[in-house]
Amino acid sequence: ILSQGQDLGSMDGLETSSSFGLGDLRLTPKAQLLHQADHAVDLAVLLGFTLPTGGSADFMGDTGAVFQPEISLGRRLHPNLRAGLNMGYRARSRTRALNLVVDDEVFAHTGVGYVPFDDKPLELDLTLALATGSNDIFGQFNRNYAEAKAGGSYDIEGPLSLFSAVGVGVAEGFGTPDWRVLIGARAV
C-alpha cells in the first residue's frame, strides 16, 4: 500500500491518518472443473486464504487468517469478449472497527474482458465487486462494500501477467475506497 488515508470526521480523539506499508498476503489456488470451447461455460473453484501480514490497527489487513472459498463462472461471448461471475464466502475472525463489528461476508465479483487486438496479449477489463455481512445480507449500510474498477492486463513471455486498474467506491461501507489504483503481477 503506497498511500491510504482515513477521514474519521469529527469523532472525539480520532484524527485523519495516512499510512504506507505491506498489506495482507493472499494466496488463491484455483482448480478448473470445466473448460468448454466455442462459447460454452468455464467453471472453477478457488480456495483463497489470507495471512495477516498487514496491520488491522492501520487498516492494512485483518487481525487473523481469512479463508475465502469461491466459485467462478466464465463464458466467452465473442472471440474477443468474455464475461465472468465469482461468488464466495469470506470467513474471518470477528473484530470491531470503531462502532462496526466486522465478521464473515458473502461476496460477488462480475466483469467483462475485451481483447482489442488479435495478435497482442492485451486485455481491457471492467469489473464490479460487492460484499455484505453474512449474518444480515445488505442489512447494515456500513457493512455493504461496492467498488467498480477499470483496467487491463498484459501477458508477458513466460508464466507472468502484469495488470493495472483504477477503482472507485460506489457504496460507503466497510472496505469501500473513495478511489484506488492497483498495479501488480500474477502467475498464470
Side-chain angles (χ1 to χ4, degrees):
I1 298 171
L2 296 178
S3 177
Q4 73 172 349
Q6 300 85 33
D7 183 3
L8 302 175
S10 61
M11 300 178 79
D12 289 339
L14 297 174
E15 299 175 11
T16 300
S17 63
S18 64
S19 52
F20 168 87
L22 180 67
D24 288 349
L25 174 66
R26 180 173 46 192
L27 302 170
T28 308
K30 179 178 178 180
Q32 190 162 2
L33 303 176
L34 184 63
H35 178 67
Q36 301 289 320
D38 301 326
H39 307 292
V41 175
D42 293 327
L43 174 66
V45 173
L46 293 85
L47 298 175
F49 59 96
T50 302
L51 301 174
T53 55
S56 63
D58 52 9
F59 301 103
M60 287 195 203
D62 276 287
T63 57
V66 176
F67 179 57
Q68 184 172 300
E70 60 189 290
I71 294 175
S72 177
L73 297 167
R75 180 166 183 181
R76 189 160 301 283
L77 304 173
H78 180 272
N80 293 29
L81 183 66
R82 65 183 180 91
L85 171 67
N86 288 27
M87 298 174 291
Y89 190 87
R90 188 172 292 120
R92 59 164 41 120
S93 300
R94 184 181 180 124
T95 188
R96 180 176 290 277
L98 300 176
N99 66 345
L100 175 67
V101 173
V102 178
D103 205 349
D104 294 356
E105 295 178 318
V106 292
F107 65 88
H109 307 270
T110 187
V112 294
Y114 175 68
V115 177
F117 311 108
D118 290 332
D119 60 342
K120 301 288 184 200
L122 172 70
E123 180 175 285
L124 304 176
D125 303 300
L126 292 173
T127 62
L128 176 65
L130 305 168
T132 186
S134 64
N135 62 345
D136 189 15
I137 305 229
F138 298 116
Q140 293 178 285
F141 83 94
N142 59 349
R143 288 285 314 271
N144 300 328
Y145 161 89
E147 180 182 9
K149 290 191 273 282
S153 63
Y154 188 85
D155 295 336
I156 59 176
E157 299 266 343
L160 200 60
S161 176
L162 303 176
F163 67 89
S164 64
V166 175
V168 61
V170 291
E172 294 184 8
F174 175 77
T176 303
D178 290 333
W179 59 272
R180 177 190 325 251
V181 176
L182 304 168
I183 298 172
R186 64 179 160 245
V188 291

